[in-house]
Amino acid sequence: MLLKACHCQCGIHYVTRPETRLELAFTKTSFHNMPCEVAARFLILYGSQHGQAQSIAEEICQQAAEHGFTADISCLSNQHKYNVDHEIRPVVFVVSTTGDGDPPDTAQKFVRKIKNKSLAHDHFSHLRYALLALGDTNYANFCNGGKTIDSRLQQLGAKHFYATGHADDGTGLEVVVDPWIEGLWDALKKMFSSMSSNQQGADLRDCTQDNYHKNASGQEKNKSDLEVDLHLLKLSEVDSQKGKTITSDSSDVETLFTALVASLKQSVPPLSESVLNVPALPASYLEVHLEQGSTERETVPSDKDCYHEVSISKAVQCTQDDAVKTAILLELDISEQNIAYQPGDAFDILCPNRASEVEELLLRLDLQTQKNCAVQVNLLKNSSKKAAKVPLHIPQNGSLQFILTWCLEIRSAPKKAFVRALADFTQNGSEKRRLLELCSKEGSADYNSFVRDANVCLLDLLRAFPSCLPPLSLLFEHLPKLQPRAYSAASSSLQHPGKVNFVFNVVEFPARPEHPARTGLCTGWLADHVSSILRPLGTVPASEHLGTSALPKVHVRPRPSSTFHLPADLSIPVVMVGPGTGVAPFIGFLEQREKEREANQEATFGETWLFFGCRHKDKDFLFREELERFAHNGTLSHLIVCFSRDEPDAAGTVNSPTYVQHNLRLHAKNVASILLKDKGCLYVCGDGKNMAKDVNDTLLEIIGNKLQIDILDAMKIVAGLREEKRYLQDIWS
């Protein structure tokens, strides 16, 4: 895109880059004489769980025309719209990761298809592709959804025409996504040039295998070099977030000054004095009309998604009032819904946006008097957005208040494209400049610090930038669908027929300059929702005296796990690691095993080990009575606990275990024997950001020491345990 120089009040200087002219010249000369079968047209296929991969794929599609290409786009689930078995165009895959390193639901059929063992080793020898994998290093099996597709395509003969990108949501997807997309266009041009010259032998091998790229000094770099560059770029971005300078000649004093003064509302040098490279303005594609009159009957959007309205029959606070976190156990009555589940399964819960936040947003957009109007959403007739469609999660004829309450995630951190669009509806010059900084390449560190990592939402931005007044259509285009929250079942239906329990911590976000204090969207809502029946542990439940109609209700649907279940063979030993609320699914495991022991008294049962940890023994030891009962009656062979904030007692030592991984290390011999000799299973549930990584590192250490092998060989053993479904994780960040 050619942009004329501008020296306006906002302080942005758009420049025409020579390389942009060269790209356009290449388009005119090289593509003009291409035969129709190799015209500059490529295919984008995406697999998305929550919309991230789809959004990035649509951005690539949108940018394609600026670089002289025509792109077709499809979700991997729409297999009737594409056929990679005979695809001669270059294909760009954008694939996210979900669960325990699984491909997203929308890619499952595609993965099953390409994993068919009857396919020949050269089945995809005609296919030339590039792949962008999305993941989060806070979880195990980083980017495994994309890696699964990538490796299988390679096994079947497909060739890269561009290096695979692995984007990390833990440090910011854009750190890798932006440069990967920028380099994609040169790779595509080389691909089409090779195709148009009909030298699909040596030239095509050069393009796909070597994948040369020029660096700043003019030296050529191959595919593996690019992957290293992307990795280094991630590391440099992480460094900048930790306070390191982003320019080589900045002093320590200048770094300190930046840390003290920069904020969501303002920047400091060098960013405040920089010429900005901002993303292109996203194309508008929706028009929204508000109509007076009756709206369609409004209920929680549940029927079409298989949700059930159930009563919350019990709510218990499981922690003392002075505990660091408040944990609450809920019992749901599912007896009339015919819902089946196994221990290890989870349940999705629908929750609304906070009423106070919806009201504030309506007031801020000057739409409070129209909140009961029926909403009509249509596509703009002349939109340049490729494959534009009305979002399915926005109902026609629903009221504006209903849509903002139940359909749109107004708490989500605005993506850079949204920030860029908001800037165009900001009247104040300095405010507009700051929004453009936050979405620019130069402002990536500020975006991460003050938007992404600070959990800033749209309402926070509108508070910080008073002159920003976006139209309703912009919100509908950029705010994602309000997603359900998943909670692991903390019970067995054998022990509690017609009931299901789950436990959660009430998430708290302390006040900070970017936003006021608030609780997590779903956990805060649930805590308020059950306040009338909430009781301290050990007291008589008042809810038992209430009629069903008076009990609070919630919409749920079962979310079965494909793997996180007890082994079918009762004799297989199991090791469970679940600190804090991570113990929840293991309560279900142990309730199940207790009932199985009662029903099969002659059977041989494998050992059960539970490694549990919390801060204080007397404040937040969840399910203490139940666990001690399991240990007493033999259901739980070994209960190993630790308390990270308690002072060691008289028998304690300075080396007493603090966290679950320390206790794993103390019992390394038993753990190694269970996994390596007895073919047992290891289950880990809880925090993926720290605990799960520490447990994984400890497991590598245990296996390495046991087998006297180095770290790489230990990693292969652990990978084998995962492959055999004997090392399973249910983790979150």
PDB file of all heavy atoms in Angstrom, residues 297-308 349-352 392-395 402-403 405-408 481-484 555-557:
ATOM      1  N   ARG A 297     -37.976 -13.099  21.686  1.00  0.00           N
ATOM      2  CA  ARG A 297     -37.894 -13.591  23.055  1.00  0.00           C
ATOM      3  C   ARG A 297     -36.445 -13.875  23.415  1.00  0.00           C
ATOM      4  O   ARG A 297     -35.767 -14.638  22.735  1.00  0.00           O
ATOM      5  CB  ARG A 297     -38.719 -14.869  23.196  1.00  0.00           C
ATOM      6  CG  ARG A 297     -38.814 -15.378  24.632  1.00  0.00           C
ATOM      7  CD  ARG A 297     -39.672 -16.622  24.692  1.00  0.00           C
ATOM      8  NE  ARG A 297     -39.024 -17.753  24.052  1.00  0.00           N
ATOM      9  CZ  ARG A 297     -38.196 -18.607  24.686  1.00  0.00           C
ATOM     10  NH1 ARG A 297     -37.923 -18.417  25.957  1.00  0.00           N
ATOM     11  NH2 ARG A 297     -37.671 -19.634  24.049  1.00  0.00           N
ATOM     12  N   GLU A 298     -35.979 -13.223  24.463  1.00  0.00           N
ATOM     13  CA  GLU A 298     -34.557 -13.300  24.784  1.00  0.00           C
ATOM     14  C   GLU A 298     -34.312 -14.244  25.954  1.00  0.00           C
ATOM     15  O   GLU A 298     -34.841 -14.057  27.051  1.00  0.00           O
ATOM     16  CB  GLU A 298     -34.017 -11.913  25.116  1.00  0.00           C
ATOM     17  CG  GLU A 298     -34.048 -10.973  23.920  1.00  0.00           C
ATOM     18  CD  GLU A 298     -33.526  -9.587  24.263  1.00  0.00           C
ATOM     19  OE1 GLU A 298     -33.495  -9.233  25.454  1.00  0.00           O
ATOM     20  OE2 GLU A 298     -33.142  -8.875  23.332  1.00  0.00           O
ATOM     21  N   THR A 299     -33.550 -15.277  25.680  1.00  0.00           N
ATOM     22  CA  THR A 299     -33.106 -16.198  26.720  1.00  0.00           C
ATOM     23  C   THR A 299     -31.605 -16.352  26.582  1.00  0.00           C
ATOM     24  O   THR A 299     -31.018 -15.968  25.573  1.00  0.00           O
ATOM     25  CB  THR A 299     -33.773 -17.575  26.569  1.00  0.00           C
ATOM     26  OG1 THR A 299     -33.425 -18.114  25.284  1.00  0.00           O
ATOM     27  CG2 THR A 299     -35.285 -17.464  26.683  1.00  0.00           C
ATOM     28  N   VAL A 300     -31.005 -16.916  27.592  1.00  0.00           N
ATOM     29  CA  VAL A 300     -29.572 -17.188  27.505  1.00  0.00           C
ATOM     30  C   VAL A 300     -29.329 -18.053  26.270  1.00  0.00           C
ATOM     31  O   VAL A 300     -30.058 -19.019  26.035  1.00  0.00           O
ATOM     32  CB  VAL A 300     -29.086 -17.916  28.775  1.00  0.00           C
ATOM     33  CG1 VAL A 300     -27.627 -18.287  28.663  1.00  0.00           C
ATOM     34  CG2 VAL A 300     -29.313 -17.035  29.987  1.00  0.00           C
ATOM     35  N   PRO A 301     -28.350 -17.709  25.432  1.00  0.00           N
ATOM     36  CA  PRO A 301     -28.136 -18.447  24.170  1.00  0.00           C
ATOM     37  C   PRO A 301     -27.647 -19.864  24.429  1.00  0.00           C
ATOM     38  O   PRO A 301     -26.460 -20.144  24.394  1.00  0.00           O
ATOM     39  CB  PRO A 301     -27.071 -17.615  23.453  1.00  0.00           C
ATOM     40  CG  PRO A 301     -26.370 -16.863  24.531  1.00  0.00           C
ATOM     41  CD  PRO A 301     -27.383 -16.607  25.593  1.00  0.00           C
ATOM     42  N   SER A 302     -28.596 -20.761  24.708  1.00  0.00           N
ATOM     43  CA  SER A 302     -28.196 -22.081  25.185  1.00  0.00           C
ATOM     44  C   SER A 302     -28.717 -23.246  24.350  1.00  0.00           C
ATOM     45  O   SER A 302     -28.024 -24.237  24.175  1.00  0.00           O
ATOM     46  CB  SER A 302     -28.670 -22.268  26.625  1.00  0.00           C
ATOM     47  OG  SER A 302     -30.068 -22.122  26.702  1.00  0.00           O
ATOM     48  N   ASP A 303     -29.938 -23.150  23.850  1.00  0.00           N
ATOM     49  CA  ASP A 303     -30.583 -24.309  23.245  1.00  0.00           C
ATOM     50  C   ASP A 303     -29.768 -24.897  22.099  1.00  0.00           C
ATOM     51  O   ASP A 303     -29.509 -26.093  22.046  1.00  0.00           O
ATOM     52  CB  ASP A 303     -31.986 -23.934  22.751  1.00  0.00           C
ATOM     53  CG  ASP A 303     -32.904 -23.555  23.910  1.00  0.00           C
ATOM     54  OD1 ASP A 303     -32.578 -23.933  25.047  1.00  0.00           O
ATOM     55  OD2 ASP A 303     -33.912 -22.882  23.668  1.00  0.00           O
ATOM     56  N   LYS A 304     -29.342 -24.046  21.177  1.00  0.00           N
ATOM     57  CA  LYS A 304     -28.638 -24.553  19.997  1.00  0.00           C
ATOM     58  C   LYS A 304     -27.259 -25.090  20.333  1.00  0.00           C
ATOM     59  O   LYS A 304     -26.672 -25.843  19.564  1.00  0.00           O
ATOM     60  CB  LYS A 304     -28.515 -23.450  18.939  1.00  0.00           C
ATOM     61  CG  LYS A 304     -27.726 -22.228  19.376  1.00  0.00           C
ATOM     62  CD  LYS A 304     -27.698 -21.179  18.267  1.00  0.00           C
ATOM     63  CE  LYS A 304     -27.022 -19.878  18.704  1.00  0.00           C
ATOM     64  NZ  LYS A 304     -25.658 -20.035  19.137  1.00  0.00           N
ATOM     65  N   ASP A 305     -26.701 -24.724  21.477  1.00  0.00           N
ATOM     66  CA  ASP A 305     -25.372 -25.183  21.870  1.00  0.00           C
ATOM     67  C   ASP A 305     -25.423 -26.268  22.940  1.00  0.00           C
ATOM     68  O   ASP A 305     -24.421 -26.557  23.596  1.00  0.00           O
ATOM     69  CB  ASP A 305     -24.540 -24.009  22.384  1.00  0.00           C
ATOM     70  CG  ASP A 305     -24.253 -22.999  21.279  1.00  0.00           C
ATOM     71  OD1 ASP A 305     -24.007 -23.436  20.149  1.00  0.00           O
ATOM     72  OD2 ASP A 305     -24.281 -21.789  21.565  1.00  0.00           O
ATOM     73  N   CYS A 306     -26.597 -26.861  23.132  1.00  0.00           N
ATOM     74  CA  CYS A 306     -26.759 -28.009  24.034  1.00  0.00           C
ATOM     75  C   CYS A 306     -26.500 -27.671  25.498  1.00  0.00           C
ATOM     76  O   CYS A 306     -25.989 -28.513  26.253  1.00  0.00           O
ATOM     77  CB  CYS A 306     -25.834 -29.163  23.602  1.00  0.00           C
ATOM     78  SG  CYS A 306     -26.103 -29.714  21.904  1.00  0.00           S
ATOM     79  N   TYR A 307     -26.827 -26.475  25.918  1.00  0.00           N
ATOM     80  CA  TYR A 307     -26.712 -26.121  27.332  1.00  0.00           C
ATOM     81  C   TYR A 307     -27.991 -26.531  28.070  1.00  0.00           C
ATOM     82  O   TYR A 307     -29.074 -26.604  27.491  1.00  0.00           O
ATOM     83  CB  TYR A 307     -26.480 -24.620  27.508  1.00  0.00           C
ATOM     84  CG  TYR A 307     -25.069 -24.191  27.200  1.00  0.00           C
ATOM     85  CD1 TYR A 307     -24.725 -23.758  25.925  1.00  0.00           C
ATOM     86  CD2 TYR A 307     -24.077 -24.237  28.172  1.00  0.00           C
ATOM     87  CE1 TYR A 307     -23.423 -23.379  25.635  1.00  0.00           C
ATOM     88  CE2 TYR A 307     -22.780 -23.856  27.896  1.00  0.00           C
ATOM     89  CZ  TYR A 307     -22.455 -23.422  26.620  1.00  0.00           C
ATOM     90  OH  TYR A 307     -21.172 -23.055  26.342  1.00  0.00           O
ATOM     91  N   HIS A 308     -27.828 -26.779  29.365  1.00  0.00           N
ATOM     92  CA  HIS A 308     -28.950 -27.139  30.225  1.00  0.00           C
ATOM     93  C   HIS A 308     -29.007 -26.160  31.393  1.00  0.00           C
ATOM     94  O   HIS A 308     -27.976 -25.831  31.984  1.00  0.00           O
ATOM     95  CB  HIS A 308     -28.774 -28.555  30.772  1.00  0.00           C
ATOM     96  CG  HIS A 308     -28.553 -29.605  29.727  1.00  0.00           C
ATOM     97  ND1 HIS A 308     -29.581 -30.278  29.116  1.00  0.00           N
ATOM     98  CD2 HIS A 308     -27.406 -30.089  29.180  1.00  0.00           C
ATOM     99  CE1 HIS A 308     -29.096 -31.144  28.245  1.00  0.00           C
ATOM    100  NE2 HIS A 308     -27.775 -31.043  28.262  1.00  0.00           N
ATOM    101  N   ILE A 349     -19.625 -23.461  31.546  1.00  0.00           N
ATOM    102  CA  ILE A 349     -20.630 -22.629  32.216  1.00  0.00           C
ATOM    103  C   ILE A 349     -20.769 -21.310  31.472  1.00  0.00           C
ATOM    104  O   ILE A 349     -19.771 -20.635  31.178  1.00  0.00           O
ATOM    105  CB  ILE A 349     -20.235 -22.367  33.681  1.00  0.00           C
ATOM    106  CG1 ILE A 349     -20.298 -23.675  34.475  1.00  0.00           C
ATOM    107  CG2 ILE A 349     -21.135 -21.319  34.312  1.00  0.00           C
ATOM    108  CD1 ILE A 349     -20.033 -23.506  35.955  1.00  0.00           C
ATOM    109  N   LEU A 350     -21.993 -20.952  31.155  1.00  0.00           N
ATOM    110  CA  LEU A 350     -22.252 -19.650  30.531  1.00  0.00           C
ATOM    111  C   LEU A 350     -22.329 -18.582  31.614  1.00  0.00           C
ATOM    112  O   LEU A 350     -22.998 -18.765  32.632  1.00  0.00           O
ATOM    113  CB  LEU A 350     -23.582 -19.676  29.772  1.00  0.00           C
ATOM    114  CG  LEU A 350     -23.612 -20.376  28.416  1.00  0.00           C
ATOM    115  CD1 LEU A 350     -25.013 -20.295  27.831  1.00  0.00           C
ATOM    116  CD2 LEU A 350     -22.612 -19.762  27.456  1.00  0.00           C
ATOM    117  N   CYS A 351     -21.654 -17.485  31.389  1.00  0.00           N
ATOM    118  CA  CYS A 351     -21.754 -16.368  32.330  1.00  0.00           C
ATOM    119  C   CYS A 351     -21.942 -15.082  31.538  1.00  0.00           C
ATOM    120  O   CYS A 351     -21.475 -14.976  30.405  1.00  0.00           O
ATOM    121  CB  CYS A 351     -20.496 -16.272  33.202  1.00  0.00           C
ATOM    122  SG  CYS A 351     -19.021 -15.741  32.322  1.00  0.00           S
ATOM    123  N   PRO A 352     -22.615 -14.108  32.103  1.00  0.00           N
ATOM    124  CA  PRO A 352     -22.831 -12.836  31.405  1.00  0.00           C
ATOM    125  C   PRO A 352     -21.732 -11.839  31.739  1.00  0.00           C
ATOM    126  O   PRO A 352     -20.978 -12.003  32.708  1.00  0.00           O
ATOM    127  CB  PRO A 352     -24.174 -12.362  31.984  1.00  0.00           C
ATOM    128  CG  PRO A 352     -24.129 -12.866  33.408  1.00  0.00           C
ATOM    129  CD  PRO A 352     -23.391 -14.174  33.372  1.00  0.00           C
ATOM    130  N   LEU A 392     -21.932 -15.206  13.655  1.00  0.00           N
ATOM    131  CA  LEU A 392     -23.044 -16.083  14.030  1.00  0.00           C
ATOM    132  C   LEU A 392     -23.469 -15.900  15.480  1.00  0.00           C
ATOM    133  O   LEU A 392     -24.600 -16.238  15.841  1.00  0.00           O
ATOM    134  CB  LEU A 392     -22.645 -17.544  13.792  1.00  0.00           C
ATOM    135  CG  LEU A 392     -22.367 -17.937  12.335  1.00  0.00           C
ATOM    136  CD1 LEU A 392     -21.904 -19.386  12.271  1.00  0.00           C
ATOM    137  CD2 LEU A 392     -23.608 -17.728  11.477  1.00  0.00           C
ATOM    138  N   HIS A 393     -22.558 -15.376  16.315  1.00  0.00           N
ATOM    139  CA  HIS A 393     -22.901 -15.250  17.738  1.00  0.00           C
ATOM    140  C   HIS A 393     -23.697 -13.977  18.042  1.00  0.00           C
ATOM    141  O   HIS A 393     -24.055 -13.747  19.191  1.00  0.00           O
ATOM    142  CB  HIS A 393     -21.626 -15.275  18.586  1.00  0.00           C
ATOM    143  CG  HIS A 393     -20.621 -14.223  18.227  1.00  0.00           C
ATOM    144  ND1 HIS A 393     -19.656 -14.420  17.258  1.00  0.00           N
ATOM    145  CD2 HIS A 393     -20.427 -12.963  18.697  1.00  0.00           C
ATOM    146  CE1 HIS A 393     -18.910 -13.335  17.161  1.00  0.00           C
ATOM    147  NE2 HIS A 393     -19.365 -12.436  18.013  1.00  0.00           N
ATOM    148  N   ILE A 394     -23.973 -13.167  17.025  1.00  0.00           N
ATOM    149  CA  ILE A 394     -24.795 -11.966  17.223  1.00  0.00           C
ATOM    150  C   ILE A 394     -26.188 -12.248  16.666  1.00  0.00           C
ATOM    151  O   ILE A 394     -26.374 -12.334  15.455  1.00  0.00           O
ATOM    152  CB  ILE A 394     -24.180 -10.744  16.521  1.00  0.00           C
ATOM    153  CG1 ILE A 394     -22.781 -10.473  17.082  1.00  0.00           C
ATOM    154  CG2 ILE A 394     -25.073  -9.520  16.703  1.00  0.00           C
ATOM    155  CD1 ILE A 394     -22.069  -9.307  16.411  1.00  0.00           C
ATOM    156  N   PRO A 395     -27.190 -12.400  17.517  1.00  0.00           N
ATOM    157  CA  PRO A 395     -28.532 -12.740  17.032  1.00  0.00           C
ATOM    158  C   PRO A 395     -29.225 -11.540  16.390  1.00  0.00           C
ATOM    159  O   PRO A 395     -29.068 -10.409  16.837  1.00  0.00           O
ATOM    160  CB  PRO A 395     -29.260 -13.177  18.309  1.00  0.00           C
ATOM    161  CG  PRO A 395     -28.584 -12.404  19.406  1.00  0.00           C
ATOM    162  CD  PRO A 395     -27.145 -12.295  18.994  1.00  0.00           C
ATOM    163  N   PHE A 402     -29.032  -7.080  25.551  1.00  0.00           N
ATOM    164  CA  PHE A 402     -28.862  -8.531  25.578  1.00  0.00           C
ATOM    165  C   PHE A 402     -27.575  -8.939  24.868  1.00  0.00           C
ATOM    166  O   PHE A 402     -26.806  -9.780  25.369  1.00  0.00           O
ATOM    167  CB  PHE A 402     -30.057  -9.206  24.911  1.00  0.00           C
ATOM    168  CG  PHE A 402     -29.926 -10.701  24.792  1.00  0.00           C
ATOM    169  CD1 PHE A 402     -30.176 -11.513  25.879  1.00  0.00           C
ATOM    170  CD2 PHE A 402     -29.543 -11.283  23.595  1.00  0.00           C
ATOM    171  CE1 PHE A 402     -30.051 -12.889  25.776  1.00  0.00           C
ATOM    172  CE2 PHE A 402     -29.412 -12.660  23.489  1.00  0.00           C
ATOM    173  CZ  PHE A 402     -29.668 -13.466  24.579  1.00  0.00           C
ATOM    174  N   ILE A 403     -27.302  -8.348  23.716  1.00  0.00           N
ATOM    175  CA  ILE A 403     -26.109  -8.709  22.943  1.00  0.00           C
ATOM    176  C   ILE A 403     -24.836  -8.331  23.695  1.00  0.00           C
ATOM    177  O   ILE A 403     -23.873  -9.105  23.742  1.00  0.00           O
ATOM    178  CB  ILE A 403     -26.155  -8.040  21.554  1.00  0.00           C
ATOM    179  CG1 ILE A 403     -27.265  -8.677  20.711  1.00  0.00           C
ATOM    180  CG2 ILE A 403     -24.816  -8.152  20.836  1.00  0.00           C
ATOM    181  CD1 ILE A 403     -27.543  -7.973  19.406  1.00  0.00           C
ATOM    182  N   THR A 405     -24.587  -8.117  26.833  1.00  0.00           N
ATOM    183  CA  THR A 405     -24.525  -8.888  28.083  1.00  0.00           C
ATOM    184  C   THR A 405     -24.125 -10.335  27.856  1.00  0.00           C
ATOM    185  O   THR A 405     -23.297 -10.873  28.594  1.00  0.00           O
ATOM    186  CB  THR A 405     -25.887  -8.847  28.803  1.00  0.00           C
ATOM    187  OG1 THR A 405     -26.234  -7.493  29.089  1.00  0.00           O
ATOM    188  CG2 THR A 405     -25.839  -9.638  30.110  1.00  0.00           C
ATOM    189  N   TRP A 406     -24.653 -10.962  26.817  1.00  0.00           N
ATOM    190  CA  TRP A 406     -24.495 -12.407  26.655  1.00  0.00           C
ATOM    191  C   TRP A 406     -23.706 -12.845  25.424  1.00  0.00           C
ATOM    192  O   TRP A 406     -23.338 -14.029  25.337  1.00  0.00           O
ATOM    193  CB  TRP A 406     -25.864 -13.084  26.594  1.00  0.00           C
ATOM    194  CG  TRP A 406     -26.567 -13.139  27.907  1.00  0.00           C
ATOM    195  CD1 TRP A 406     -27.586 -12.322  28.324  1.00  0.00           C
ATOM    196  CD2 TRP A 406     -26.306 -14.034  28.996  1.00  0.00           C
ATOM    197  NE1 TRP A 406     -27.980 -12.662  29.600  1.00  0.00           N
ATOM    198  CE2 TRP A 406     -27.205 -13.720  30.040  1.00  0.00           C
ATOM    199  CE3 TRP A 406     -25.403 -15.076  29.190  1.00  0.00           C
ATOM    200  CZ2 TRP A 406     -27.228 -14.408  31.251  1.00  0.00           C
ATOM    201  CZ3 TRP A 406     -25.424 -15.761  30.399  1.00  0.00           C
ATOM    202  CH2 TRP A 406     -26.327 -15.424  31.409  1.00  0.00           C
ATOM    203  N   CYS A 407     -23.452 -11.964  24.502  1.00  0.00           N
ATOM    204  CA  CYS A 407     -22.905 -12.414  23.214  1.00  0.00           C
ATOM    205  C   CYS A 407     -21.484 -11.950  22.926  1.00  0.00           C
ATOM    206  O   CYS A 407     -20.748 -12.637  22.204  1.00  0.00           O
ATOM    207  CB  CYS A 407     -23.824 -11.955  22.075  1.00  0.00           C
ATOM    208  SG  CYS A 407     -25.537 -12.483  22.281  1.00  0.00           S
ATOM    209  N   LEU A 408     -21.072 -10.799  23.433  1.00  0.00           N
ATOM    210  CA  LEU A 408     -19.758 -10.234  23.110  1.00  0.00           C
ATOM    211  C   LEU A 408     -18.865 -10.200  24.348  1.00  0.00           C
ATOM    212  O   LEU A 408     -19.329  -9.843  25.439  1.00  0.00           O
ATOM    213  CB  LEU A 408     -19.911  -8.821  22.550  1.00  0.00           C
ATOM    214  CG  LEU A 408     -20.722  -8.683  21.267  1.00  0.00           C
ATOM    215  CD1 LEU A 408     -20.882  -7.213  20.897  1.00  0.00           C
ATOM    216  CD2 LEU A 408     -20.061  -9.443  20.126  1.00  0.00           C
ATOM    217  N   LYS A 481     -16.622 -13.473  20.477  1.00  0.00           N
ATOM    218  CA  LYS A 481     -17.763 -14.121  21.122  1.00  0.00           C
ATOM    219  C   LYS A 481     -17.473 -14.332  22.602  1.00  0.00           C
ATOM    220  O   LYS A 481     -16.366 -14.698  22.988  1.00  0.00           O
ATOM    221  CB  LYS A 481     -18.036 -15.468  20.448  1.00  0.00           C
ATOM    222  CG  LYS A 481     -19.163 -16.260  21.076  1.00  0.00           C
ATOM    223  CD  LYS A 481     -19.303 -17.622  20.410  1.00  0.00           C
ATOM    224  CE  LYS A 481     -20.407 -18.452  21.057  1.00  0.00           C
ATOM    225  NZ  LYS A 481     -20.532 -19.792  20.435  1.00  0.00           N
ATOM    226  N   LEU A 482     -18.472 -14.093  23.443  1.00  0.00           N
ATOM    227  CA  LEU A 482     -18.347 -14.375  24.866  1.00  0.00           C
ATOM    228  C   LEU A 482     -18.322 -15.891  25.051  1.00  0.00           C
ATOM    229  O   LEU A 482     -19.315 -16.577  24.815  1.00  0.00           O
ATOM    230  CB  LEU A 482     -19.509 -13.759  25.641  1.00  0.00           C
ATOM    231  CG  LEU A 482     -19.523 -13.986  27.163  1.00  0.00           C
ATOM    232  CD1 LEU A 482     -18.236 -13.491  27.805  1.00  0.00           C
ATOM    233  CD2 LEU A 482     -20.728 -13.295  27.791  1.00  0.00           C
ATOM    234  N   GLN A 483     -17.168 -16.407  25.456  1.00  0.00           N
ATOM    235  CA  GLN A 483     -16.980 -17.850  25.542  1.00  0.00           C
ATOM    236  C   GLN A 483     -17.391 -18.380  26.914  1.00  0.00           C
ATOM    237  O   GLN A 483     -17.269 -17.694  27.926  1.00  0.00           O
ATOM    238  CB  GLN A 483     -15.505 -18.197  25.303  1.00  0.00           C
ATOM    239  CG  GLN A 483     -14.992 -17.839  23.925  1.00  0.00           C
ATOM    240  CD  GLN A 483     -15.508 -18.766  22.842  1.00  0.00           C
ATOM    241  OE1 GLN A 483     -16.114 -19.800  23.126  1.00  0.00           O
ATOM    242  NE2 GLN A 483     -15.277 -18.403  21.590  1.00  0.00           N
ATOM    243  N   PRO A 484     -17.865 -19.630  26.962  1.00  0.00           N
ATOM    244  CA  PRO A 484     -18.125 -20.251  28.262  1.00  0.00           C
ATOM    245  C   PRO A 484     -16.812 -20.520  28.986  1.00  0.00           C
ATOM    246  O   PRO A 484     -15.743 -20.552  28.372  1.00  0.00           O
ATOM    247  CB  PRO A 484     -18.829 -21.560  27.886  1.00  0.00           C
ATOM    248  CG  PRO A 484     -18.301 -21.872  26.513  1.00  0.00           C
ATOM    249  CD  PRO A 484     -18.134 -20.538  25.835  1.00  0.00           C
ATOM    250  N   HIS A 555     -26.443 -22.127  33.425  1.00  0.00           N
ATOM    251  CA  HIS A 555     -26.509 -22.909  32.190  1.00  0.00           C
ATOM    252  C   HIS A 555     -25.179 -23.631  31.984  1.00  0.00           C
ATOM    253  O   HIS A 555     -24.121 -22.990  31.953  1.00  0.00           O
ATOM    254  CB  HIS A 555     -26.817 -22.012  30.994  1.00  0.00           C
ATOM    255  CG  HIS A 555     -28.239 -21.556  30.937  1.00  0.00           C
ATOM    256  ND1 HIS A 555     -28.718 -20.506  31.700  1.00  0.00           N
ATOM    257  CD2 HIS A 555     -29.308 -22.018  30.218  1.00  0.00           C
ATOM    258  CE1 HIS A 555     -30.009 -20.330  31.450  1.00  0.00           C
ATOM    259  NE2 HIS A 555     -30.387 -21.233  30.566  1.00  0.00           N
ATOM    260  N   VAL A 556     -25.255 -24.955  31.836  1.00  0.00           N
ATOM    261  CA  VAL A 556     -24.041 -25.765  31.704  1.00  0.00           C
ATOM    262  C   VAL A 556     -24.201 -26.760  30.558  1.00  0.00           C
ATOM    263  O   VAL A 556     -25.314 -27.074  30.127  1.00  0.00           O
ATOM    264  CB  VAL A 556     -23.731 -26.539  33.000  1.00  0.00           C
ATOM    265  CG1 VAL A 556     -23.558 -25.599  34.176  1.00  0.00           C
ATOM    266  CG2 VAL A 556     -24.799 -27.585  33.300  1.00  0.00           C
ATOM    267  N   ARG A 557     -23.061 -27.251  30.095  1.00  0.00           N
ATOM    268  CA  ARG A 557     -23.054 -28.388  29.176  1.00  0.00           C
ATOM    269  C   ARG A 557     -21.813 -29.217  29.475  1.00  0.00           C
ATOM    270  O   ARG A 557     -20.761 -28.671  29.827  1.00  0.00           O
ATOM    271  CB  ARG A 557     -23.041 -27.939  27.708  1.00  0.00           C
ATOM    272  CG  ARG A 557     -21.759 -27.271  27.267  1.00  0.00           C
ATOM    273  CD  ARG A 557     -21.790 -26.892  25.801  1.00  0.00           C
ATOM    274  NE  ARG A 557     -20.575 -26.166  25.427  1.00  0.00           N
ATOM    275  CZ  ARG A 557     -20.400 -25.542  24.260  1.00  0.00           C
ATOM    276  NH1 ARG A 557     -21.367 -25.527  23.370  1.00  0.00           N
ATOM    277  NH2 ARG A 557     -19.263 -24.911  24.003  1.00  0.00           N
TER     278      ARG A 557
END
